[in-house]
Amino acid sequence: MTTISKPRILIPRNILNRMQAYVDLCDKEISGLGTVVYDPKFQGYVVKRVMLLEQEVSSTSTDLDDQAVAQALYEYREYEGKEEIAFWWHSHVNMNTFWSGTDHETMDSIGKNGLCVAVVLNKKREKRGAIVMAPKNFPAVKFDDVEITILDTIDFSMDDVKKEIEAKVKEKTYKYVDPYQGSYRDWE
């Protein structure tokens, strides 16, 4: 068992950039869901995917389409056991990153299923994180102002790189003339 004082949210840079692009390109609030996994090495929840779903938005709210949410849950069922759709992100456009009453209700609603990892962003590139955990038969616990760590994205496998090096890179050998024998020899 690993003991931690407060869980963290870890977001790969490419996923954060995508969420920020949604925020930057929308003049109203915007939101979406995503998948997370717990990584004991990082002692936190790693965001694996983000989804932009059909929604109705205004300057102060965003309502995800119920059918779009159901479709997302259906499509991501294949990741069950590996990734959990428990990530909710949204923007506050040009306002500060804080949790409104509606935000708390949304986190509690998602979290009642066991887990909600939430991030709010704005056009000033500020972000705030929260985690709601609701173990079965126990009251929910909410962690606010959770540390958000950005992970540099690696889009390749180190094993593949190693195999490619082994296949394509050879150590150079040198030949020299042995002045006493008058012939070429491999440099050792």
Side-chain angles (χ1 to χ4, degrees), residues 40-129:
K41 178 177 126 189
F42 290 114
Q43 296 184 351
Y45 292 92
V46 180
V47 177
K48 300 299 278 185
R49 303 169 196 283
V50 291
M51 299 172 268
L52 182 65
L53 305 175
E54 291 180 21
Q55 58 195 277
E56 290 186 351
V57 301
S58 73
S59 59
T60 58
S61 70
T62 168
D63 295 313
L64 295 174
D65 180 82
D66 290 339
Q67 288 204 306
V69 171
Q71 182 68 30
L73 292 170
Y74 178 77
E75 289 173 2
Y76 280 85
R77 73 192 182 288
E78 65 196 55
Y79 298 106
E80 194 172 323
K82 300 175 208 149
E83 299 175 20
E84 186 174 346
I85 295 182
F87 180 59
W88 172 60
W89 62 270
H90 75 290
S91 74
H92 276 185
V93 195
N94 294 310
M95 294 185 296
N96 292 331
T97 54
F98 64 95
W99 304 114
S100 69
T102 303
D103 295 343
H104 283 288
E105 289 172 13
T106 302
M107 287 187 283
D108 293 343
S109 176
I110 295 170
K112 72 181 178 191
N113 296 317
L115 176 68
C116 176
V117 177
V119 171
V120 60
L121 309 102
N122 63 20
K123 291 183 182 286
K124 297 181 273 187
R125 298 196 163 355
E126 298 167 334
K127 53 196 165 298
R128 183 175 187 146

Side-chain angles (χ1 to χ4, degrees), residues 4 7-10 37-46:
I4 58 174
R8 300 187 308 162
I9 300 171
L10 300 108
V37 296
Y38 182 76
D39 189 325
K41 178 177 126 189
F42 290 114
Q43 296 184 351
Y45 292 92
V46 180

Side-chain angles (χ1 to χ4, degrees), residues 111-114 133-141:
K112 72 181 178 191
N113 296 317
M133 291 187 236
K136 194 172 188 173
N137 301 321
F138 290 94
V141 176

